[in-house]
């Protein structure tokens, strides 16, 4: 989406650059981007200050010219800086990261029909603001499980991230009462047809801090049936869908069903679509959208939607409802199906 991306220096093949990687410096240690820019501007014109990662304690300071970056590095690296709270900064040169796969900027749709992906639906304002707050309060009153970059809660059955599957012999109980009205509303959706009678029995609640996304994947076929509902709360995001053709997609192993993307394509065998998911919207993956398209949330703090800059909230919480599968999958997409490989 056009935001700068920088390679973290490895300390071996360091090269001169107008961009500096600065550690022990950032909002999480009490230093705003404005203060950082004012200090580094003493050495030359600063184009911008960017987060180097999700820690909030490391930034990229980008100058107009290399000479300014050299002067700042020489003056500030390893020295206590009174203007930055007496902190000792650790500075290295950094360079722009080459773009990978294909051009990162693709049109973002606001409605599902524009994507032309069979089985993909999106309902805006599926719940109101009061219901949203009640759901957030309900999960915040319950214990979270910490993953590497986000927190989760599981209801009905626990999803095991190591195997990307569920143990159908270990049921956690019924889904909580605070989602009963959501389940009733789902069953009355007009596009479900005969599937409206499907009893959803698994719920995963994910909390994504600002800037944290989701790696490209297809939900394991053998784990869940063909309808997957995801309710977005608290903050917006962009969800991208990818369809890999002609064998360009490969799972890590058939046994683990990791569904990770190779990220080596030149774009010729890859179809990409993107949609904006506002708070309180409900997304449905069914049919081809569920079984054959990878879905992915870019790790961004800012998204571009039709030339509009949309900042993600301090967190996004998703409620994902699924039906646990009790037998092998017999879908029409065997190349993506762990039951048929």
């Amino acid at each position: 989406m056009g935001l700068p991306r920088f390679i973290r220096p490895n300390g071996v093949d360091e090269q001169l650059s107008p961009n500096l990687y600065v550690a022990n410096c950032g909002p999480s240690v009490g230093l705003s981007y404005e203060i950082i820019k004012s200090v580094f501007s003493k050495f030359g014109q600063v184009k911008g200050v960017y987060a180097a990662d999700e820690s909030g304690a490391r930034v990229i300071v980008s100058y107009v010219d290399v000479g300014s970056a050299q002067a700042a590095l020489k003056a500030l690296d390893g020295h206590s800086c009174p203007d930055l709270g007496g902190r000792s900064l650790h500075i290295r040169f950094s360079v722009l990261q080459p773009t990978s796969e294909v051009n990162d900027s693709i049109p973002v749709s606001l409605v599902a029909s524009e994507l032309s992906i069979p089985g993909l639906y999106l309902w805006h304002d599926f719940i109101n603001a009061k219901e949203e707050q009640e759901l957030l309060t309900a999960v915040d009153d319950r214990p979270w499980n910490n993953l590497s970059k986000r927190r989760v809660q599981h209801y009905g059955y626990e999803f095991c991230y190591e195997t990307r599957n569920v143990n159908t012999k270990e049921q956690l109980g019924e889904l909580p009462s605070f989602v009963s009205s959501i389940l009733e509303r789902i069953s009355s959706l007009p596009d479900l047809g005969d599937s409206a009678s499907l009893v959803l029995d698994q719920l995963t609640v994910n909390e994504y801090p600002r800037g944290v996304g989701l790696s490209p994947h297809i939900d394991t076929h053998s784990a869940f049936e063909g309808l997957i509902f995801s309710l977005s709360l608290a903050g917006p995001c962009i969800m991208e869908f990818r369809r890999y053709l002609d064998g360009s997609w490969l799972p890590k192993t058939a046994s683990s069903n990791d569904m990770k993307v190779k990220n080596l394509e030149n774009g010729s065998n890859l179809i990409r679509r993107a949609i904006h998911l506002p708070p309180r919207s409900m997304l449905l993956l069914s049919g081809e959208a569920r079984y054959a398209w990878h879905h992915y949330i870019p790790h961004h703090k800012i998204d571009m939607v039709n030339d509009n800059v949309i900042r993600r909230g301090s967190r996004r919480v998703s409620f994902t409802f699924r039906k646990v599968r009790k037998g092998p999958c017999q879908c029409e997409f065997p190349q993506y199906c762990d039951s048929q490989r």
Side-chain angles (χ1 to χ4, degrees):
M1 51 149 275
L3 292 179
R5 296 182 179 181
F6 296 87
I7 296 175
R8 181 170 178 169
N10 58 26
V12 179
D13 299 322
E14 188 172 302
Q15 63 187 82
L16 295 179
S17 165
N19 309 303
L20 296 178
Y21 175 92
V22 186
N24 197 27
C25 185
S28 70
V29 295
L31 301 176
S32 69
Y33 288 166
E34 290 76 14
I35 292 175
I36 297 168
K37 183 176 181 179
S38 68
V39 171
F40 279 83
S41 292
K42 297 176 181 179
F43 304 94
Q45 184 178 352
V46 174
K47 291 196 300 183
V49 179
Y50 312 102
D53 52 34
E54 297 162 3
S55 68
R58 292 176 284 272
V59 299
I60 298 293
V61 177
S62 181
Y63 284 99
V64 171
D65 61 274
V66 173
S68 299
Q70 286 180 292
L73 187 148
K74 182 178 180 180
L76 299 178
D77 180 39
H79 303 299
S80 176
C81 182
D83 294 332
L84 294 176
R87 290 192 168 275
S88 180
L89 308 181
H90 306 282
I91 307 176
R92 295 293 183 268
F93 289 109
S94 186
V95 295
L96 278 169
Q97 182 177 4
T99 56
S100 59
E101 292 188 356
V102 295
N103 183 1
D104 191 45
S105 179
I106 61 173
V108 178
S109 297
L110 301 180
V111 295
S113 59
E114 294 180 354
L115 273 63
S116 299
I117 300 177
L120 182 69
Y121 301 91
L122 178 66
W123 294 273
H124 289 244
D125 296 315
F126 190 80
I127 61 173
N128 60 41
K130 180 176 180 292
E131 292 170 319
E132 176 186 38
Q133 189 55 53
E134 290 172 349
L135 289 171
L136 292 172
T137 299
V139 293
D140 284 336
D141 285 341
R142 300 196 175 203
W144 291 90
N145 296 321
N146 292 308
L147 302 181
S148 59
K149 295 183 179 180
R150 66 184 194 271
R151 301 192 300 176
V152 301
Q153 295 179 19
H154 296 292
Y155 299 94
Y157 295 86
E158 182 174 2
F159 183 75
C160 180
Y161 293 95
E162 289 76 16
T163 62
R164 299 200 63 82
N165 216 314
V166 295
N167 184 349
T168 57
K169 297 180 180 179
E170 295 185 7
Q171 187 172 7
L172 302 176
E174 302 295 327
L175 296 191
S177 58
F178 58 78
V179 298
S180 296
S181 62
I182 305 300
L183 295 174
E184 291 177 6
R185 208 164 300 174
I186 288 175
S187 66
S188 63
L189 288 171
D191 297 303
L192 297 187
D194 294 337
S195 299
S197 60
L198 184 69
V199 178
L200 301 169
D201 58 8
Q202 198 275 335
L203 167 63
T204 296
V205 182
N206 282 285
E207 181 194 57
Y208 301 90
R210 185 173 181 230
V212 175
L214 188 64
S215 299
H217 70 285
I218 297 175
D219 283 35
T220 310
H221 288 204
S222 64
F224 305 109
E225 296 284 353
L227 298 182
I228 297 177
F229 296 89
S230 183
L231 178 66
S232 294
L233 305 178
C237 77
I238 299 298
M239 180 170 284
E240 183 177 314
F241 296 89
R242 300 177 174 185
R243 181 77 192 268
Y244 291 82
L245 309 173
D246 303 329
S248 62
W249 168 85
L250 291 174
K252 187 175 180 181
T253 63
S255 58
S256 68
N257 194 35
D258 198 355
M259 302 292 188
K260 291 293 178 69
V261 179
K262 275 177 61 178
N263 288 329
L264 297 176
E265 294 78 5
N266 60 13
S268 61
N269 292 324
L270 174 62
I271 303 173
R272 300 171 71 204
R273 303 283 188 270
I275 194 168
H276 178 238
L277 302 181
R280 299 184 292 279
S281 64
M282 176 69 83
L283 180 75
L284 167 60
L285 304 180
S286 64
E288 182 179 318
R290 181 267 186 268
Y291 288 122
W293 289 74
H294 290 73
H295 57 279
Y296 157 59
I297 300 175
H299 299 265
H300 294 163
K301 293 185 177 181
I302 298 174
D303 292 310
M304 291 295 296
V305 181
N306 299 333
D307 297 326
N308 294 317
V309 175
I310 296 182
R311 297 183 179 274
R312 296 192 186 176
S314 59
R315 67 169 181 167
R316 173 179 174 265
V317 178
S318 66
F319 282 52
T320 302
F321 298 89
R322 297 173 284 207
K323 169 66 176 176
V324 171
R325 191 185 295 276
K326 299 299 177 64
C329 177
Q330 298 178 344
C331 69
E332 299 177 358
F333 305 93
Q335 68 271 41
Y336 302 101
C337 183
D338 60 307
S339 293
Q340 300 180 61
R341 281 200 307 270

